[in-house]
Amino acid sequence: MQCFVARTDDATRRLSAVAKDEFDAWMKGQPDRVRAWLDGLGFKAKAGSVTALPDADGAPNDFLLILEAADDIWSWGAASARLPVGRYSIDPAPADKDAAYRACLGWALGSYVFDRYKKREEPPRELVWPDNADRGAVMASAAAIHLTRDLVNTPASDMGPGELASAASALARDFGGACETVVGDDLLRENFPMIHAVGRASSRPPRLIDLRWGKPAHPKVTLVGKGVCFDTGGLDLKPSSAMLMMKKDMGGAAQVLGLARMIMASKLPVNLRVLIPAVENSVSGDSFRPMDILATRKGITVEVGNTDAEGRLVLGDALCLACEEKPELLIDFATLTGAARVALGTDLPAMFSNSDALADDLQDGAKTAQDPMWRLPLHKPYASMLDSKIADTNNISSGGYAGAITAALFLEKFVEPGIEWAHFDLMSWNVATKPGRPEGGEAQGIRAVFEAIRRRFG
C-alpha cells in the first residue's frame, strides 16, 4: 500500500496528534513560538483539523492533528487527506500496538481513491510505519475495505455477475482457496429457482458463486452476500432517481468478499464459505412478473408481490444452501430495504439475529472496531404481514410498515432452526465525504463481524 513506508533516514515531517479535549493542556506545554503561531492563526481544536507548526528554526515543517478522542480512527483519515503531500512520522510515537493500529488504519482509509477511470490528482501522503504497528493487521483490514469500496464503486457495465464471479475467483486464488460457479440454466438443474428467476431477463446470465477456504476440521463460518449487480426494479420499474445508484446493489456481495479477504489474510482458524447469488434484475420478455409463484430450494412457494423486492429472493436460495452444511455461524449482508435507511440513516447498518449471544458478540465487536451497527427485532407477530392466499408466503408485506423487519422475517424462513444467524441490511455507500470515508462505496459492519469471529474462533 503506497501510503506507508518503512523507517527511513530520508527527511520526514513530524506529526503530533492531540485529542481535542486535551488540546488546552497540550498548548500549555508548548514553547512560546508554537503558542504564538497557533494564536496568530486563530486555530480551533476541531476533530480532523490539521495545521503546520514552526520547528526549532521557526520553519513550518512540523504538523498538528486534532483527534476526536484519544482512541479515534477517523481523524487520522482526515490527516492523510488534508496534509500537504509528503512523508510523515508520528511524534510522539503511538503509545501501544492498538494506538498504532488505529492511526495506521485511519491513515490508509483516508488515502483511498477510486482511480480506475480517473487518475488521482496527487500522490498519497506517506506515513512511516510506527515501530509498534502490527503491519499485517493494518494491511489485512485496509486492503479488505479498499476491495469492498472498489467493487461497489465499479459501474455495472464493468461489474456484472460474470465480473463479480471473476473477482471472487481471483480472491480465492490469492489465498489458496477454491471458487466454483453455477451459471444460467444450470441454476435450475442444481435447484436454485429463485436466483434463476430474478436474473434470467438479463443478457448476462445469473450465477451462484461459491468460495471455500480453510481446513475442514475448523469451525464452519458461512457468509452470504446479495449480488444484484444492477437493479432496475424489474417490471415494477424504479423511477430514474431511485435507479441512479443501483450499481451499489451488489454491496452485500462486496462486503462478504472484503470480510473474506480479511479472514484469509489474517489466517483465522475457520472453515470459510462465501455464497453470492449474482444477478442483474433487468426488464425483458423473460422477466419474472408480479403475482408469479416461484419455487424455491427450500421447497416452499413464494408469491411475487413486487419484482423490486428481488434481493430477498436470491438470498433465500443461497441461505437454504448454506444451512445444508449446518455452519456454526451464518451471516448475510444485503442492501435490502429503504426502510432500514429511514429507521437508522445511511451510516448505521441494521442488524437482525436469531441469537442473543451472537448479537451481543457482534455489538461488542462493533464497539471495539468503531464500526457501528444497531440491532432491530425479528418481531414474530409481523410475519403474518407476509401471508399469501395462494402461496406459502409473499415476498413483500401487505402494508407499508416495518419493511426492514418483514424482509428479515422473510429471510429467516430459509434459515434452519438452531443455526446462529445474523442479517445485515446496509447502505454500503457514503452519501457525503467524511474523514476517512470518501463519498461512494463503503464497507460497513465487516470489521465488527471480523472482530466477533476472531474472538469466537481465533
Side-chain angles (χ1 to χ4, degrees):
M1 198 166 285
Q2 296 179 343
C3 60
F4 295 112
V5 294
R7 184 158 295 280
T8 174
D9 293 331
D10 294 345
T12 62
R13 294 164 166 175
R14 293 194 315 150
L15 175 63
S16 300
V18 177
K20 66 180 183 181
D21 61 355
E22 299 173 357
F23 176 73
D24 290 343
W26 177 86
M27 274 283 279
K28 291 178 181 178
Q30 298 307 301
D32 291 343
R33 68 176 187 277
V34 172
R35 292 200 301 272
W37 178 280
L38 292 175
D39 287 341
L41 291 175
F43 180 75
K44 303 296 183 184
K46 296 181 180 179
S49 57
V50 295
T51 186
L53 298 175
D55 61 16
D57 297 324
N61 290 326
D62 296 338
F63 288 82
L64 173 66
L65 165 67
I66 302 300
L67 304 175
E68 176 65 34
D71 63 351
D72 185 36
I73 290 174
W74 301 111
S75 299
W76 290 99
S80 62
R82 296 172 180 171
L83 287 167
V85 173
R87 180 171 294 175
Y88 297 85
S89 59
I90 302 173
D91 186 14
D96 53 37
K97 186 170 72 172
D98 289 341
Y101 172 83
R102 291 191 294 268
C104 292
L105 179 60
W107 188 277
L109 299 186
S111 300
Y112 173 83
V113 172
F114 182 59
D115 57 4
R116 177 167 176 172
Y117 304 97
K118 181 180 180 180
K119 292 182 179 179
R120 60 189 307 153
E121 297 176 356
E122 53 189 16
R125 287 76 173 157
E126 295 178 330
L127 182 67
V128 176
W129 282 109
D131 289 337
N132 56 357
D134 185 338
R135 300 185 190 185
V138 172
M139 294 298 285
S141 296
I145 294 169
H146 283 207
L147 171 64
T148 300
R149 290 173 173 177
D150 280 349
L151 291 171
V152 178
N153 283 327
T154 303
S157 55
D158 291 325
M159 186 55 64
E163 289 85 358
L164 188 55
S166 295
S169 295
L171 183 62
R173 285 195 302 272
D174 287 345
F175 291 96
C179 189
E180 298 179 349
T181 308
V182 182
V183 183
D185 289 344
D186 286 345
L187 290 164
L188 294 176
R189 286 186 280 273
E190 298 291 334
N191 193 23
F192 301 106
M194 288 198 293
I195 299 174
H196 184 272
V198 172
R200 72 190 185 206
S202 174
S203 60
R204 301 192 283 186
R207 59 203 69 206
L208 177 68
I209 303 164
D210 190 347
L211 183 155
R212 293 178 182 269
W213 174 88
K215 297 179 180 179
H218 286 159
K220 177 168 283 297
V221 173
T222 300
L223 310 175
V224 179
K226 174 186 169 184
V228 178
C229 295
F230 194 83
D231 182 19
T232 67
L235 291 177
D236 287 308
L237 194 69
K238 293 177 182 289
S240 60
S241 59
M243 207 184 299
L244 187 61
M245 289 199 303
M246 281 300 100
K247 70 174 186 179
K248 78 172 186 67
D249 212 22
M250 42 65 68
Q255 307 298 323
V256 297
L257 289 176
L259 178 53
R261 194 193 193 289
M262 203 183 309
I263 289 170
M264 294 187 290
S266 303
K267 299 180 180 179
L268 292 190
V270 297
N271 180 12
L272 178 66
R273 189 180 193 187
V274 179
L275 296 170
I276 297 172
V279 302
E280 186 172 30
N281 188 20
S282 297
V283 177
S284 78
D286 202 22
S287 297
F288 75 118
R289 295 163 290 267
M291 300 190 76
D292 277 356
I293 305 295
L294 302 184
T296 71
R297 186 176 185 86
K298 179 78 171 179
I300 63 177
T301 55
V302 177
E303 182 181 9
V304 178
N306 192 304
T307 63
D308 197 19
E310 84 297 329
R312 65 198 70 182
L313 299 174
V314 299
L315 286 172
D317 276 350
L319 288 169
C320 183
L321 173 64
C323 290
E324 291 167 12
E325 290 188 340
K326 300 189 183 305
E328 278 86 344
L329 195 61
L330 174 60
I331 298 176
D332 77 74
F333 287 81
T335 53
L336 207 62
T337 69
R341 309 292 78 75
V342 170
L344 300 177
T346 59
D347 293 348
L348 199 58
M351 181 267 287
F352 299 83
S353 182
N354 61 2
S355 164
D356 290 341
L358 175 56
D360 289 345
D361 287 350
L362 292 170
Q363 289 171 317
D364 288 345
K367 185 178 297 184
T368 298
Q370 298 181 39
D371 192 15
M373 65 182 70
W374 196 263
R375 188 183 186 187
L376 294 182
L378 288 165
H379 187 55
K380 304 303 183 187
Y382 288 170
S384 62
M385 296 164 68
L386 293 167
D387 287 350
S388 166
K389 295 179 180 178
I390 59 172
D392 294 318
T393 186
N394 203 299
N395 73 325
I396 62 167
S397 63
S398 55
Y401 299 108
I405 295 175
T406 54
L409 289 168
F410 178 88
L411 295 181
E412 191 179 26
K413 295 176 183 289
F414 299 90
V415 176
E416 288 297 318
I419 293 177
E420 281 193 293
W421 163 68
H423 158 60
F424 285 85
D425 187 339
L426 70 163
M427 181 71 169
S428 196
W429 190 268
N430 295 319
V431 296
T433 294
K434 299 178 182 179
R437 291 154 289 188
E439 181 180 347
E442 186 57 284
Q444 295 180 316
I446 65 174
R447 290 185 297 112
V449 174
F450 174 84
E451 184 65 20
I453 293 173
R454 185 190 67 79
R455 291 179 179 180
R456 278 199 173 200
F457 304 122

